[in-house]
Amino acid sequence: MRYSVMMKYIVIGWFLVFCTTIASGQSAQLIKGKVINKRTGEPVGFAGIHLLEADSWTTADKGGFFVIQSFYFQIITFEVHCLGFEANLGKYLVSELEPGLEIKLVPISYDMEEITVLAKNNNGIATSSVLESAAIEHIQPSSIADVLQLLPGNVSTNPDFTNAKKMLVREIATDDNSAMGAALMLDGAPVSNNANLQTFSTSKTDNSFSTTAGSGVDLRQFPMDNIESIEFVTGIPSVIYGDLTSGLVLVKTKAGYSPWDLKLKSDARTKQLNLGKGFKLKSNRNLNLNVDYLQYYDDLRSKYSGYKRVTADVGLSGNFNLHGAPFSYNIKLGLFGTVDNQKTDPDAMVPREKIESADKGMRLNTYGKWIPKLKLLTNLDYSFSFSWMHQRSNEERYRSLSGIQMVSTSMSEGENYGIFLPSEEFTTYTVDGKPVSLFFQLTGSKLFNFHKGISNKLLYGFDYRLDANYGDGQKFDLANPPFVSVARYRPRSFREIPALQNLSYYVENKFSAMIGQTIFDMQAGLRFNNFQSAGLFKTGLGFYPEPRFNIQYSFLSRRNNYVFDKMAIRFGIGKTFKSPPLIFLFPDKAYFDLSALNYYVGDPAKNISIINTQIFDTANPDLKPSRNLKLEAGIIFKIKDVKACITVFNEKLENGFGLNTNYLFLKYDQYLVENIPVNTKSDINVLDKVNVTIPATYQNPVNNQETQKKGVEFTFDLGKIQSLYTSFTIDGAWLQTKHVYSTIPTHFQPTGAAVTPILYYGVYPAGESKVSERLNTNLRMVTRVPKLRLILSSTLQTIWFDKYYFTEYEDVPMCLVFADGSKKAFTPDMRNNPEYARFVNVKSDSYYLQEVMPPLLQANLRLSKEIRNNMKISFFVNNFINYRPEYELKRTGSFVRRNPTMYFGAELKVML
């Protein structure tokens, strides 16, 4: 971007700052209150209180009392948190507040009717869903991947640790770019996958081992029992969050007092043990401990493919006064290890073969707030994190060749002597990665009170991210490689790869005004990214501004109409960017080992192997960050006990990352072996040569992916039928996704169609696409029987239709490119020419048929029973009617089995 454009955005940002700082007439008041236990009436000590309008916070004392500073607003909102209780978010009319404000927290106990075991719409200015600890516990998840089914539009799946689990946000099927663009924030710091290089080669995409390199974070790594809440932001997030495109997940782990908590879980494939405890220390501090172990096998009868996970978390939290101003801190240390392996049965034909991916590492982060008594600073939020991992992917296998083959061990270009390999040999290779991530963020905010009922909050700050990999890289014996082909690979140390450094600045203005009996909220911000920063005004990838805008207008309430208790509309638009990860920025070189002389007579003293090695740099200097433009509108309303939230969205992700196939025509000299006497080793200097040309391919990173999403998400909370003790909720979504396989022309050359090499290739137009569409709903029925301390939730999931089709695509190339670089347009008469007809990508008559699957039902059940105050028993069963119909695909004639198999499990939780 040119500096003139960059300066325009900077001037706009500082203009917002100037307009805000000229405000005057600020005044303050003190609000006193008490936090109590709704069931017992006892005080809840050390609860955290956040007054949203004033952006001020405090902590209740041992007796539950608190005093908090506020400006003179007409309506104020308190957000109160305490471990072991449901979070309380309540709005209060200041004129109606009694001298002693009393906030009642609901303990997480099944004898309380208010316990929420479903995802809740945040109903804030940005579209998001929140899961609190009671909901997480009732779902009985083993990882974050299991809770995605509660998001509108997602469908339920069985727990599965066979393969890496990636984020699914407004998607019908998993997409690597969408998963990569879903930022996972753990306790205020991003969990980065930018330095993941666990692949045998960027030119080889069919890794045998499990990997998420060039994709999203593996959700299997994160157990759920130490998590207090999760918020899924699918709308336009605040500018403080960056390096994302599709969505944002905010995970908050437990902090505060809790009894010893022991959980045992078992199902058909999984065994899990979790132990946690929260200690109350002196000086208003808390110490939290959690240990988790999980073991999973695809088949318990044959334990040759499985997954294991061990995690340990320690957290220290508290607050104190720094120069007379409240200062909070949270220090989290997490240790983890996972093993994902596959091995052959010892009784199989090929013993000893094994594929294994093992990760271990640590995450350290600290975050908190400070309320300094400064004129231009109301709040200061800070976050610092450091993570280190040791990733080791290993494969031990037999390499089988069709006869004796020769390979090169040279790391440089030119002719070199090769070696001959036996037709079968046991090989090993390892990919050793040690990714390191560093994150630092400071966010300041200043609240201005223009007038009673009108507030303005200015937020500004910066963050810095560093991602590097210090692993040994790809390691294998060049004299005994795992693969043999013309396109060969070489060991490479990851330490040679430069680090990725991103520096971002942001400014945001939040405006709220009470206009009569209506409320208008606006959030407008600008994030300015310097990807691959080389300094404050120097960049390696470029400067990228991200404007984001959200408004919400609450224009109906019980006070100004007789029908709606509440009605609000909202609108948002914003742009987000995701930087390329290291695997796309610094790909492996392409090595080609060309057989110049292959003379094998079985005698090592007489065998001759000459290889011509050619090396090509596959890096793309024009690679750019991917970008997404989000547009959405929604309506929220409440009529008596019925609550509803409907959101319409449209997204377009461009410049997505992918690999493009490039064709080369390699020229080299081959030695003629006809004149070598039998059983002799001839001098190669006297042999005749002939120049040959052969085609070859390699892959390089490009911005060639595009995904267009649109849809409608909805949630209707229908209230409760008291006589049945049951509340009813309907949620779901209509989703349509268009995925463009390549937005740039593609190259193709048919194989096996000619005896001699084809010294030209076809260039095909961009735009081949697949469109997927689905409408699904979930009727969720939650039955609470407080006297029995029992919660039963049942879900009837209906996929009303599920369809996909491929758009019409030109089946002939635009032109042919020859070895000398010349081009020839592809004309209609060439379709019937035998020499060129093979370049016609003929589709079958059924290829463009629209595949529409009929409605599909699935019934799931979850039951949780509390035994006194120290024991809980839970049970779940998915697809308990075992309805799994077959569907015949029109396009292929093959059959697919729909719906997952019936699956069940149970867990026991003991609190001491």
Side-chain angles (χ1 to χ4, degrees):
M1 177 176 292
R2 299 191 310 183
Y3 279 100
S4 59
V5 179
M6 180 183 71
M7 291 304 297
K8 179 181 70 173
Y9 284 102
I10 294 177
V11 170
I12 292 174
W14 282 111
F15 179 74
L16 290 174
V17 177
F18 174 75
C19 291
T20 306
T21 54
I22 63 173
S24 61
Q26 298 182 77
S27 55
Q29 63 177 335
L30 293 178
I31 297 177
K32 299 180 181 180
K34 184 179 181 180
V35 184
I36 65 171
N37 186 318
K38 184 174 183 178
R39 180 175 62 182
T40 65
E42 298 176 349
V44 178
F46 310 110
I49 298 101
H50 184 201
L51 181 55
L52 300 186
E53 285 76 13
D55 197 24
S56 57
W57 59 272
T58 187
T59 303
D61 62 16
K62 187 176 182 180
F65 293 99
F66 68 90
V67 178
I68 194 167
Q69 179 175 294
S70 172
F71 297 110
Y72 286 103
F73 301 106
Q74 296 183 44
I75 295 178
I76 58 176
T77 307
F78 279 103
E79 187 176 33
V80 184
H81 291 271
C82 187
L83 192 61
F85 293 84
E86 284 272 294
N88 183 295
L89 183 67
K91 286 184 177 292
Y92 302 87
L93 196 63
V94 174
S95 60
E96 298 176 357
L97 281 180
E98 298 180 0
L101 173 62
E102 191 174 75
I103 299 177
K104 297 179 180 180
L105 292 186
V106 177
I108 300 177
S109 178
Y110 294 168
D111 61 354
M112 303 298 293
E113 292 188 7
E114 298 87 345
I115 293 298
T116 303
V117 294
L118 299 178
K120 298 186 297 185
N121 290 311
N122 193 19
N123 290 341
I125 200 167
T127 306
S128 68
S129 301
V130 179
L131 275 79
E132 296 181 357
S133 53
I136 295 172
E137 182 180 278
H138 184 68
I139 299 168
Q140 304 168 52
S142 298
S143 72
I144 293 180
D146 295 335
V147 303
L148 294 176
Q149 59 188 290
L150 290 185
L151 296 182
N154 286 355
V155 296
S156 62
T157 58
N158 291 334
D160 185 8
F161 289 81
T162 306
N163 299 304
K165 293 297 180 181
K166 304 170 187 177
M167 201 69 70
L168 198 65
V169 181
R170 290 176 171 173
E171 287 279 359
I172 296 176
T174 302
D175 176 77
D176 282 348
N177 276 279
S178 182
M180 188 193 314
L184 175 62
M185 301 290 291
L186 180 62
D187 289 323
V191 179
S192 177
N193 200 47
N194 286 334
N196 189 336
L197 297 169
Q198 293 303 111
T199 181
F200 184 71
S201 172
T202 52
S203 299
K204 178 180 172 58
T205 57
D206 56 339
N207 294 289
S208 303
F209 49 82
S210 178
T211 180
T212 57
S215 181
V217 175
D218 189 353
L219 301 180
R220 298 178 300 175
Q221 299 177 7
F222 307 97
M224 296 298 299
D225 294 277
N226 192 41
I227 292 177
E228 183 177 351
S229 66
I230 303 180
E231 181 177 2
F232 296 92
V233 182
T234 55
I236 293 93
S238 168
V239 294
I240 66 175
Y241 304 109
D243 202 32
L244 57 87
T245 50
S246 57
L248 171 67
V249 183
L250 303 173
V251 179
K252 182 181 178 182
T253 60
K254 294 179 178 179
Y257 172 77
S258 65
W260 284 104
D261 191 329
L262 174 65
K263 189 188 86 169
L264 301 172
K265 178 177 180 179
S266 177
D267 59 42
R269 300 176 181 177
T270 309
K271 301 294 179 288
Q272 185 179 4
L273 170 66
N274 185 275
L275 179 65
K277 167 67 176 173
F279 298 91
K280 180 65 67 176
L281 306 179
K282 295 181 180 180
S283 302
N284 200 21
R285 292 179 298 165
N286 302 293
L287 178 66
N288 290 82
L289 305 175
N290 187 270
V291 179
D292 180 271
Y293 174 76
L294 179 140
Q295 177 180 278
Y296 172 90
Y297 289 105
D298 289 350
D299 188 342
L300 292 175
R301 299 166 301 176
S302 179
K303 299 181 179 180
Y304 302 113
S305 178
Y307 179 86
K308 294 180 181 179
R309 180 188 69 201
V310 179
T311 63
D313 295 281
V314 181
L316 179 66
S317 60
N319 58 76
F320 59 90
N321 284 333
L322 179 64
H323 302 299
F327 184 95
S328 71
Y329 61 89
N330 293 268
I331 303 172
K332 307 282 187 176
L333 175 64
L335 306 174
F336 61 92
T338 64
V339 177
D340 192 346
N341 61 29
Q342 298 179 23
K343 52 187 177 182
T344 56
D345 190 328
D347 297 328
M349 294 291 291
V350 187
R352 296 175 57 197
E353 290 194 337
K354 181 175 68 173
I355 302 172
E356 181 177 277
S357 292
D359 296 350
K360 61 182 178 180
M362 58 83 68
R363 297 186 185 94
L364 173 67
N365 69 309
T366 178
Y367 66 98
K369 289 177 176 289
W370 182 40
I371 304 182
K373 297 181 179 180
L374 302 175
K375 290 184 178 181
L376 296 179
L377 194 61
T378 302
N379 256 321
L380 182 66
D381 292 69
Y382 67 92
S383 178
F384 171 79
S385 71
F386 172 80
S387 67
W388 170 88
M389 291 181 67
H390 186 189
Q391 301 174 311
R392 187 177 177 87
S393 303
N394 182 69
E395 181 172 357
E396 301 176 6
R397 57 187 289 273
Y398 283 94
R399 182 196 65 241
S400 297
L401 304 174
S402 57
I404 303 297
Q405 299 284 346
M406 60 181 189
V407 296
S408 170
T409 60
S410 175
M411 298 293 292
S412 57
E413 286 191 312
E415 288 189 352
N416 56 87
Y417 285 98
I419 60 174
F420 288 98
L421 299 179
S423 59
E424 184 175 271
E425 195 170 8
F426 192 75
T427 68
T428 64
Y429 76 85
T430 300
V431 182
D432 181 89
K434 294 178 181 177
V436 172
S437 295
L438 181 70
F439 175 77
F440 178 69
Q441 184 178 56
L442 277 179
T443 304
S445 62
K446 178 59 181 176
L447 187 69
F448 297 91
N449 183 223
F450 297 125
H451 184 269
K452 189 175 182 180
I454 300 177
S455 67
N456 198 84
K457 178 183 176 182
L458 178 69
L459 180 149
Y460 51 92
F462 74 95
D463 64 47
Y464 170 76
R465 305 164 188 247
L466 181 143
D467 294 284
N469 198 311
Y470 300 104
D472 293 335
Q474 296 110 340
K475 300 190 299 181
F476 59 90
D477 185 358
L478 279 172
N480 185 20
F483 310 101
V484 176
S485 65
V486 172
R488 284 281 312 282
Y489 318 101
R490 298 293 193 273
R492 180 196 191 192
S493 174
F494 294 157
R495 298 186 186 92
E496 303 171 357
I497 298 176
L500 174 64
Q501 302 183 71
N502 296 335
L503 180 63
S504 301
Y505 307 92
Y506 47 84
V507 59
E508 184 174 83
N509 201 63
K510 294 182 179 180
F511 175 81
S512 180
M514 190 167 184
I515 307 171
Q517 294 182 344
T518 67
I519 301 175
F520 177 78
D521 295 294
M522 181 181 70
Q523 175 181 288
L526 176 69
R527 182 181 178 91
F528 196 76
N529 302 300
N530 181 353
F531 289 132
Q532 194 61 314
S533 170
L536 193 61
F537 299 106
K538 295 182 180 180
T539 181
L541 287 174
F543 298 101
Y544 294 89
E546 299 182 15
R548 304 180 195 175
F549 178 76
N550 287 289
I551 59 172
Q552 179 169 293
Y553 183 43
S554 303
F555 59 95
L556 290 180
S557 67
R558 178 54 64 185
R559 295 188 301 274
N560 60 9
N561 81 102
Y562 297 100
V563 178
F564 291 93
D565 293 283
K566 175 184 179 181
M567 177 173 281
I569 57 174
R570 62 187 177 193
F571 170 80
I573 184 171
K575 180 175 285 189
T576 54
F577 287 89
K578 175 72 183 75
S579 66
L582 292 181
I583 194 170
F584 288 108
L585 278 177
F586 304 101
D588 298 329
K589 293 181 179 180
Y591 289 81
F592 296 96
D593 293 326
L594 312 174
S595 176
L597 176 59
N598 184 351
Y599 184 74
Y600 181 82
V601 295
D603 185 351
K606 300 175 183 177
N607 297 335
I608 305 176
S609 170
I610 303 295
I611 294 176
N612 186 300
T613 299
Q614 299 187 24
I615 306 174
F616 295 86
D617 188 359
T618 66
N620 181 2
D622 298 323
L623 195 69
K624 301 176 182 178
S626 61
R627 65 176 182 264
N628 191 24
L629 178 64
K630 285 194 175 191
L631 178 68
E632 66 175 33
I635 183 170
I636 305 167
F637 65 85
K638 182 177 184 291
I639 305 176
K640 294 183 179 180
D641 293 333
V642 177
K643 305 174 186 176
C645 179
I646 304 172
T647 302
V648 180
F649 65 88
N650 192 313
E651 301 182 19
K652 186 175 183 179
L653 185 145
E654 298 177 292
N655 286 344
F657 309 116
L659 295 175
N660 187 51
T661 300
N662 293 274
Y663 280 85
L664 298 170
F665 298 101
L666 305 179
K667 298 180 179 180
Y668 68 102
D669 292 329
Q670 278 189 352
Y671 293 88
L672 300 178
V673 299
E674 288 81 358
N675 297 328
I676 300 179
V678 178
N679 293 327
T680 63
K681 185 173 183 178
S682 176
D683 182 2
I684 63 172
N685 295 316
V686 300
L687 295 180
D688 295 330
K689 300 178 184 179
V690 60
N691 188 264
V692 297
T693 302
I694 65 169
T697 63
Y698 72 89
Q699 292 179 315
N700 75 315
V702 291
N703 298 109
N704 69 340
Q705 301 292 298
E706 181 179 298
T707 303
Q708 302 171 25
K709 304 178 189 176
K710 59 182 178 180
V712 181
E713 299 170 334
F714 50 86
T715 301
F716 295 92
D717 185 345
L718 304 179
K720 182 178 182 180
I721 299 179
Q722 295 294 339
S723 59
L724 299 178
Y725 301 96
T726 303
S727 59
F728 297 84
T729 302
I730 297 177
D731 65 63
W734 169 74
L735 301 174
Q736 186 186 84
T737 301
K738 180 180 180 180
H739 179 68
V740 182
Y741 291 119
S742 181
T743 57
I744 62 176
T746 58
H747 301 166
F748 172 73
Q749 186 185 77
T751 57
V755 178
T756 58
I758 303 174
L759 299 183
Y760 51 91
Y761 61 86
V763 180
Y764 294 79
E768 186 174 9
S769 307
K770 179 182 179 181
V771 178
S772 302
E773 190 174 340
R774 184 176 70 200
L775 171 64
N776 75 288
T777 60
N778 293 287
L779 173 60
R780 305 185 193 273
M781 297 160 284
V782 180
T783 302
R784 301 175 179 87
V785 187
K787 292 183 179 180
L788 299 179
R789 293 193 171 191
L790 180 146
I791 297 180
L792 171 67
S793 66
S794 52
T795 301
L796 181 61
Q797 174 184 284
T798 305
I799 299 177
W800 296 99
F801 65 84
D802 192 350
K803 67 180 182 180
Y804 70 90
Y805 61 91
F806 293 87
T807 59
E808 294 288 339
Y809 177 74
E810 184 62 52
D811 60 357
V812 296
M814 298 182 295
C815 66
L816 301 176
V817 179
F818 293 83
D820 60 1
S822 61
K823 297 180 180 180
K824 181 178 182 180
F826 198 91
T827 58
D829 61 319
M830 296 171 68
R831 296 179 67 102
N832 300 319
N833 187 324
E835 182 179 356
Y836 304 113
R838 54 177 158 248
F839 282 88
V840 179
N841 189 7
V842 180
K843 305 294 186 183
S844 65
D845 294 337
S846 61
Y847 183 82
Y848 292 109
L849 290 178
Q850 189 175 93
E851 203 76 68
V852 183
M853 301 183 187
L856 180 69
L857 299 178
Q858 181 180 334
N860 304 325
L861 187 70
R862 281 170 171 76
L863 175 67
S864 298
K865 176 71 172 71
E866 197 171 56
I867 303 174
R868 295 184 179 180
N869 293 323
N870 58 357
M871 184 178 295
K872 293 179 182 178
I873 297 177
S874 302
F875 171 79
F876 79 92
V877 55
N878 291 341
N879 193 18
F880 63 83
I881 60 176
N882 201 26
Y883 178 59
R884 301 188 66 218
E886 283 188 339
Y887 173 76
E888 183 180 5
L889 296 171
K890 298 177 183 178
R891 299 176 63 254
T892 62
S894 59
F895 288 85
V896 294
R897 179 75 71 178
R898 303 180 69 196
N899 263 347
T901 59
M902 185 175 70
Y903 198 87
F904 59 89
E907 67 179 41
L908 172 66
K909 191 173 185 179
V910 180
M911 291 155 284
L912 304 176

